Amino acid sequence: MTMPRILFGGDYNPEQWPEDVWAEDMKLMVEAGVSLVSVGIFAWAQVEPRPGEYDFGWFDRVLDHLADAGIGASLATMTASPPPWLSRLHPEVLPNRADGVTLWPGARQHYCPSSPVYREHAARLVEQLAGRYGSHPALRLWHVGNEYGCHVRACYCDVSAADFRRWLRDRYGDVDALNAAWSTTFWSQRYDDWSEVLPPRTAPTFGNPAQKLDFARFSDDAILACYTLERDILRRHTPDVPLTTNFIGLVHKPIDSFRWAAEQDVVSLDSYPDPYDPRTHVDAGFGYDLVRSARRGQPWLLMEQAPSAVNWRERNAPKPPGVMRLWSWQAVAQGADAVLFFQWRQAAGGAEKFHSAMLPHTGEHTRTHREVRELGAEIAAAAELAGTRVQADVALLHDWPNWWAVEGDAHPAPLDLLAAHRAHYGPVFDAHVTCDVVPPDADLAGYRLVIVPNLYLLSTATADALRAHVHRGGILLVSYFTGVVDETERLHPGGAPGPLRDLLGLRVEEFWPLPVDGTIGLNLGGRHGRGLEWSEWVEPAGAQVMGTFTDGELTGRPAVLRHSYGEGAAWYLATRPDPALMRAVLDQVRAEAGVAPVLPDLPDGVQAVRRHGGYRSYLFLLNHGGTPATVALPAPAVDLLGEQDAPTDLVTLPPRGVAVLRS
Ligand code: GLA
């Protein structure tokens, strides 16, 4: 799906306001350059006040107003928060936690994803919406559900238990196969009959890891089934209207976005960087690179971000002047074709009344609203960017089933996969290198360097793909605790890195996790630093030792290894080098892969990304640092956001400054 321009707007909840406010909304939206709003997300109780009795009149008028104002609707299916009557009539739709506690109505998302009753009522509403609004002139996009899996990541109730058993039967066929896959000879867990199988509810001690992993897979499937149910209804009514559902940024553990992306026409993401965190834009960037990669570079939609403060962190900082603009352009630089916010008009009541909005409750003559208008005008003037694409030579591999498995309990030490990703992605970002974040089944052919942090769960298919990448001349960097188990949480025979032993030219004999806050000395070819989190007793089997541990029991043993294989080379890190040393390792590996930064000699803190389309190319420069930065361009270019029409070959960016240079 290609957008004619970069879309601008946000969530619009007119049901929270009397109708006489709507006309003012339309006027101010037009003045602010709004081109798309997400409507109806939480309107179920208003459009279906009693089961099967609909009140669509007010919503008709909302959509008519939007159409008259020339504003598109990202029309929600309204199923994210069922009305109170649903659980009054059918209490079994309410979800249960692992400890048996029921999650009651009073907030939102209080439904069991496996519930046939919820699904039936949701489907009935979506049929109504699709039939009624499928040809409405305001309709641009279907917004299915909202942030699936945000609050209820899994449900452990009896309805879910039955659905889990059905799912397991489909997967394994018979109980013997299930017993084998779940290693149930351990601790007398053997099942004699399907009726004995349950979700991994709160138990006396560590639960069965294979059961937990399958339950995570099942829960993702159960939630996805809610989405595809609605999606299929919409496709039947309106095959030409694109549809999406908004993912939670930077990346959300229960929802395998790679699988979900294939079920949508365009991927969208909600992103809430924390203004208190000086590295928050790097984390956000990881999420943007992931959603872009989820549909192989297709432009994506920034579906929500806060105009200023959120209300749901412990402490909620406003975005200082210029930050909203900077972070919005960052999303566009990294491939977004929409800059949308939560939400248009600040709520006067309810749990989000302290969340910022494009139109604060203090009105239009406010700092935030002025910045919104300025940004809206800039975005409108940059329409030519729509549809252009980002390209990357580097890929970082992320896998949801691995995420579910690697953070399991009763491991040598707790591991945080996102922290591992940050440690690898950050130095690449800081080096001004563009990186995709890809699933294990991605086509790796276009990448020079593939980075694989902590891929504990490794299938032979993924191992084969990594081997092929190196064999044909690619460079690979793998870090510790990789290739430990297969898809059923059984150890790979012979130990880690399992099916990658030949490629990496080494064998991990023992895991030596470091104590809490402990570090270990590292010597990388004369450069000294510390290893964090983890260490391993590695026996090289063909790999060359590039760095060693310099402390404690592992003194002198290999910490960083490199193995030539086919036309390429595979590197291994048996610890997590401290940030400075990690940067040095990654710079070295990147140099070997022949991956250059977007521009040479870029100042620290300046992010540089290119988008390409046909003969056009755009260079985005974003100053995330606190001091002005000057960038010399390889050739004169025009800044789409600048006041001058004349090309320049020297760009000076104030702190939070942005330039979009056409070449
Ligand atoms: C999420 C939801 C929105 C709103 C915002 C607040 O992204 O989708 O409905 O609650 O958070 O930040």
Side-chain angles (χ1 to χ4, degrees):
M1 136 189 212
T2 308
M3 305 290 173
R5 56 179 159 186
I6 307 288
L7 299 163
F8 187 70
D11 282 21
Y12 179 40
N13 298 306
E15 63 275 16
Q16 296 177 12
W17 298 94
E19 287 205 30
D20 56 6
V21 175
W22 302 352
E24 187 195 45
D25 285 331
M26 297 304 121
K27 173 179 165 285
L28 294 177
M29 281 183 194
V30 169
E31 287 172 12
V34 167
S35 52
L36 187 80
V37 290
S38 304
V39 269
I41 295 178
F42 298 106
W44 189 348
Q46 257 88 0
V47 301
E48 193 181 358
R50 286 161 296 280
E53 279 182 39
Y54 298 101
D55 176 9
F56 283 122
W58 69 273
F59 200 71
D60 295 350
R61 293 193 289 284
V62 169
L63 288 184
D64 293 347
H65 278 304
L66 289 171
D68 291 347
I71 297 168
S74 163
L75 185 42
T77 57
M78 309 188 177
T79 52
S81 190
W85 54 254
L86 185 65
S87 48
R88 179 175 57 83
L89 296 174
H90 307 280
E92 73 278 15
V93 302
L94 293 174
N96 275 16
R97 293 194 323 211
D99 60 2
V101 167
T102 298
L103 301 175
W104 295 94
R108 61 179 177 185
Q109 223 176 66
H110 43 278
Y111 63 86
C112 160
S114 292
S115 165
V117 175
Y118 166 76
R119 290 188 189 179
E120 180 196 319
H121 283 78
R124 195 175 66 184
L125 175 62
V126 176
E127 282 283 353
Q128 291 285 328
L129 292 168
R132 191 173 184 97
Y133 299 119
S135 52
H136 196 283
L139 177 64
R140 296 277 182 288
L141 177 71
W142 288 111
H143 179 109
V144 183
N146 190 64
E147 290 197 340
Y148 279 101
C150 173
H151 309 296
V152 178
R153 299 162 166 225
C155 172
Y156 296 76
C157 75
D158 289 342
V159 174
S160 292
D163 198 26
F164 185 37
R165 285 191 283 270
R166 177 207 50 80
W167 185 94
L168 290 167
R169 271 176 199 256
D170 289 350
R171 189 173 176 91
Y172 295 111
D174 59 47
V175 163
D176 288 343
L178 176 81
N179 280 313
W182 284 11
S183 303
T184 58
T185 47
F186 176 79
W187 279 356
S188 180
Q189 291 173 353
R190 180 186 167 276
Y191 295 101
D192 197 52
D193 186 86
W194 284 109
S195 59
E196 296 156 5
V197 179
L198 291 169
R201 291 176 177 161
T202 306
T205 183
F206 307 124
N208 181 314
Q211 178 189 12
K212 288 185 162 183
L213 176 57
D214 270 347
F215 191 66
R217 291 183 174 118
F218 155 77
S219 300
D220 184 36
D221 267 357
I223 301 173
L224 182 60
C226 295
Y227 163 81
T228 54
L229 172 73
E230 298 187 11
R231 189 268 320 265
D232 292 348
I233 295 168
L234 298 170
R235 284 234 168 113
R236 179 158 43 77
H237 283 268
T238 56
D240 299 328
V241 178
L243 45 86
T244 190
T245 183
N246 47 341
F247 291 140
I248 297 171
L250 54 123
V251 52
H252 193 48
K253 192 170 173 184
I255 300 296
D256 183 340
S257 306
F258 290 136
R259 260 170 15 101
W260 282 63
E263 307 287 346
Q264 303 172 42
D265 298 312
V266 58
V267 172
S268 57
L269 182 75
D270 299 348
S271 177
Y272 290 94
D274 183 357
Y276 279 133
D277 174 1
R279 297 279 293 169
T280 196
H281 61 285
V282 183
D283 286 351
F286 179 87
Y288 303 161
D289 286 343
L290 188 150
V291 284
R292 186 188 65 242
S293 309
R295 285 184 62 87
R296 292 164 301 285
Q298 179 189 325
W300 53 279
L301 313 177
L302 178 61
M303 186 59 83
E304 290 181 23
Q305 62 170 336
S308 188
V310 300
N311 67 308
W312 41 260
R313 290 195 174 95
E314 184 70 23
R315 308 191 76 79
N316 301 293
K319 289 181 180 171
V323 169
M324 177 195 60
R325 172 179 186 254
L326 174 67
W327 291 351
S328 298
W329 280 110
Q330 180 188 353
V332 177
Q334 294 188 242
D337 268 6
V339 172
L340 308 169
F341 295 86
F342 180 84
Q343 60 176 331
W344 165 250
R345 186 184 277 275
Q346 186 176 353
E352 292 185 325
K353 60 183 177 291
F354 293 112
H355 197 291
S356 61
M358 299 167 80
L359 184 61
H361 87 111
T362 41
E364 57 182 290
H365 301 293
T366 48
R367 196 257 302 177
T368 295
H369 190 67
R370 272 194 298 276
E371 288 189 40
V372 164
R373 284 181 174 226
E374 283 161 20
L375 181 62
E378 279 188 349
I379 296 272
E384 63 187 90
L385 295 169
T388 58
R389 288 178 172 237
V390 177
Q391 285 158 11
D393 292 329
V394 180
L396 184 145
L397 199 143
H398 172 68
D399 179 36
W400 259 268
N402 174 57
W403 195 2
W404 298 327
V406 72
E407 294 182 357
D409 38 35
H411 283 187
L415 272 175
D416 175 344
L417 187 65
L418 282 190
H421 285 342
R422 278 190 185 101
H424 292 79
Y425 176 86
V428 176
F429 186 100
D430 293 343
H432 318 286
V433 169
T434 304
C435 180
D436 283 348
V437 179
V438 303
D441 61 356
D443 178 5
L444 301 178
Y447 300 110
R448 292 163 179 265
L449 171 62
V450 176
I451 300 171
V452 181
N454 304 168
L455 192 61
Y456 159 81
L457 186 160
L458 176 69
S459 68
T460 48
T462 303
D464 290 347
L466 296 175
R467 201 177 290 110
H469 163 73
V470 180
H471 198 265
R472 65 176 168 255
I475 304 296
L476 176 71
L477 176 85
V478 172
S479 64
Y480 60 89
F481 210 48
T482 285
V484 181
V485 298
D486 66 13
E487 297 100 314
T488 62
E489 279 269 15
R490 286 185 73 84
L491 294 171
H492 282 298
L500 290 180
R501 281 198 298 270
D502 61 328
L503 172 59
L504 292 166
L506 59 89
R507 196 161 58 75
V508 177
E509 211 165 287
E510 289 168 357
F511 305 121
W512 285 62
L514 301 175
V516 176
D517 297 330
T519 65
I520 186 167
L522 274 183
N523 176 359
L524 181 69
R527 195 179 164 131
H528 290 263
R530 308 296 299 172
L532 315 176
E533 300 279 340
W534 195 271
S535 58
E536 291 175 340
W537 185 298
V538 174
E539 289 294 340
Q544 188 189 348
V545 177
M546 309 296 287
T548 52
F549 293 114
T550 59
D551 273 346
E553 301 290 341
L554 297 184
T555 302
R557 297 212 57 83
V560 182
L561 301 96
R562 180 188 173 282
H563 188 221
S564 298
Y565 185 92
E567 304 288 304
W571 289 69
Y572 187 75
L573 301 178
T575 183
R576 181 182 304 163
D578 64 60
L581 207 56
M582 187 67 124
R583 172 72 190 266
V585 172
L586 277 161
D587 283 352
Q588 190 176 348
V589 171
R590 205 164 44 72
E592 180 172 5
V595 177
V598 171
L599 279 183
D601 305 321
L602 281 166
D604 285 350
V606 171
Q607 183 186 5
V609 190
R610 279 186 205 280
R611 286 182 69 159
H612 308 270
Y615 56 90
R616 293 170 297 156
S617 169
Y618 301 89
L619 172 67
F620 291 74
L621 296 172
L622 303 119
N623 187 2
H624 295 284
T627 51
T630 301
V631 177
L633 303 177
V638 174
D639 183 358
L640 296 191
L641 312 183
E643 275 148 29
Q644 322 256 332
D645 288 340
T648 173
D649 54 9
L650 207 61
V651 179
T652 297
L653 300 162
R656 302 173 190 155
V658 182
V660 182
L661 299 143
R662 185 204 292 126
S663 54

